[in-house]
Amino acid sequence: MMRVLGPVLTAHYLAAFTALGMPVFMPRVLGALAPDAPAWLAGALYVLPTVCTALTATTWGRLADRYGRRLSLLRAQLGLALGFAMAGFAPHLGWFVLALAIQGTCGGSLAAANAYLATQFGRDGSLARALDWTQFSARLAMVSAPALLGLAMAWGSPQALYRYLALLPLVAFAVTLCLPRDDGHATHAATRATAPAWRDWLGLLGVQFLFYFAMVVTFPYFVPYAERLGVTRDATAGLLYSLPHLVYLVALPWWRGAAMAPDRPLLLGLGVFSLACLAHAMAPSPAWIVAARLLYGAGMLLALGGLNRALGQRAAGGHAGHVFGLFDACGKWAGAAGGVAAGALVSRIDLAAPFVAAALAGLAAVATAALVFRPLKRSLHVPASDT
């Protein structure tokens, strides 16, 4: 397993480190590249690659099914390298915006990596466990990239970092070249065989959208909210922000949920997550926030594990690229909606409002999972074309 999974995770971490590290510093990059740019532009450019990925992910997924998932993974890594190199050498704002659009349009390394893993692992639980580990590499990049790049800011201009970061996807490209080839093998018969399961897919997409919206809506204004509760140091606020992801990183190697039916960790995780979001909204002190962040991390671990098990049971076969592209696009649209909603809620209500919205979205995801997945669990079958 590790002969394939190890290189995939290494390549994915390098790509995720590249993509997740710099958006945090977008205001600083714009301040150097276009000092007269309006303040709202930083937020718009923050979500531009995400929106571009959402618009193109399903198309790339279909092409991956036809021409090969490893080829699609190589494409995502080269697209990320090209976008970052263009951003690093951008002479003006228009060129920089084009670079971000290319980064998002040609990227999508998580969906491409998961689709490739679906060609190497099956429905016996090994694919679900592999998907857990790609989430691990994403969380590791989310925790490490902003901190390490923040330190690197002292060495030169923020825009120059884009040039150096463009080298990391190229290293990922070289690692991916060493992986076994796969053949695109989506057929009309395979597509027809999966048609009866679209009600199941729509339910999974609904849970994916609600859960990712709930996570992202809490991100943009967490640090100001922590400061309002009395957290005075930036380092402490940053640690509290990262704490749920650290819980995932520490707990995943010890969690053995591969044999579980997906509804159990999914329903429990979404419930715990919703409770944690309510605890954030009602927090009277920083100590309360620590407990809420730990609970948030536990709910995130279980919910993502449940989603991965549901996908692992359904995504093997000739349509995996389309499936993971579709789910990646759904998550990206949810993230964009969450970012917009966070700004609207804070400006019109207060800093606690995003956590209330997250709790409501989490409870809606619980209801969706309970109503859609539990009845279908009894009738789940493997299409004959995939045996």
Side-chain angles (χ1 to χ4, degrees):
M1 181 175 181
M2 287 305 299
R3 186 176 65 86
V4 171
L5 186 58
V8 171
L9 292 179
T10 300
H12 179 249
Y13 173 76
L14 292 172
F17 185 98
T18 304
L20 296 175
M22 286 306 294
V24 178
F25 304 103
M26 188 65 69
R28 196 169 298 180
V29 175
L30 283 180
L33 183 64
D36 298 328
W40 58 264
L41 187 60
L45 295 184
Y46 184 95
V47 301
L48 177 61
T50 299
V51 171
C52 290
T53 301
L55 289 169
T56 58
T58 53
T59 299
W60 287 124
R62 289 191 183 95
L63 292 173
D65 288 336
R66 178 168 295 183
Y67 299 109
R69 283 67 173 273
R70 192 189 76 150
L71 181 62
S72 183
L73 184 54
L74 293 169
R75 177 270 313 158
Q77 292 156 353
L78 283 181
L80 189 60
L82 175 62
F84 266 70
M86 289 180 62
F89 291 100
H92 51 75
L93 181 59
W95 188 271
F96 184 76
V97 172
L98 176 62
L100 294 180
I102 290 174
Q103 174 194 329
T105 301
C106 300
S109 59
L110 177 60
N114 285 341
Y116 176 79
L117 289 173
T119 69
Q120 307 297 313
F121 303 103
R123 288 188 174 94
D124 58 354
S126 58
L127 176 57
R129 192 60 176 167
L131 300 181
D132 288 340
W133 284 104
T134 55
Q135 283 289 343
F136 181 96
S137 62
R139 305 291 148 191
L140 183 60
M142 192 175 294
V143 170
S144 60
L148 293 176
L149 292 178
L151 294 174
M153 287 286 172
W155 300 347
S157 72
Q159 186 182 357
L161 282 179
Y162 278 93
R163 305 170 197 169
Y164 302 115
L165 286 172
L167 298 174
L168 296 184
L170 295 179
V171 175
F173 181 89
V175 171
T176 303
L177 281 175
C178 300
L179 290 169
R181 291 177 179 269
D182 71 289
D183 296 322
H185 54 280
T187 64
H188 293 296
T191 302
R192 286 196 302 269
T194 59
W198 270 107
R199 178 171 170 262
D200 190 27
W201 288 122
L202 289 175
L204 269 175
L205 286 169
V207 174
Q208 169 95 337
F209 184 91
L210 289 166
F211 178 52
Y212 274 67
F213 173 89
M215 283 197 297
V216 174
V217 78
T218 68
F219 288 170
Y221 297 95
F222 175 80
V223 171
Y225 184 64
E227 291 173 347
R228 192 180 79 173
L229 291 176
V231 177
T232 57
R233 295 183 179 180
D234 290 341
T236 303
L239 177 60
L240 289 173
Y241 176 85
S242 301
L243 193 54
H245 306 294
L246 294 174
V247 170
Y248 190 98
L249 295 176
V250 171
L252 180 64
W254 304 97
W255 186 52
R256 295 291 180 264
M260 290 184 181
D263 61 314
R264 295 178 184 176
L266 181 58
L267 290 169
L268 178 60
L270 290 171
V272 170
F273 176 86
S274 301
L275 180 62
C277 291
L278 282 177
H280 280 81
M282 299 164 55
S285 66
W288 185 279
I289 280 287
V290 172
R293 297 304 279 171
L294 292 172
L295 198 63
Y296 188 108
M300 186 174 68
L301 171 69
L302 291 169
L304 287 172
L307 280 171
N308 288 339
R309 270 134 201 82
L311 283 171
Q313 289 181 353
R314 296 158 172 83
H319 60 292
H322 182 208
V323 167
F324 286 111
L326 189 63
F327 274 80
D328 189 38
C330 181
K332 294 295 191 293
W333 284 122
V340 172
L345 289 167
V346 167
S347 63
R348 297 192 177 197
I349 306 176
D350 64 11
L351 287 168
F355 295 103
V356 176
L360 293 174
L363 291 174
V366 171
T368 303
L371 290 173
V372 177
F373 301 136
R374 282 197 153 203
L376 290 177
K377 177 175 175 283
R378 293 191 296 269
S379 60
L380 181 66
H381 68 281
V382 179
S385 61
D386 288 341
T387 57

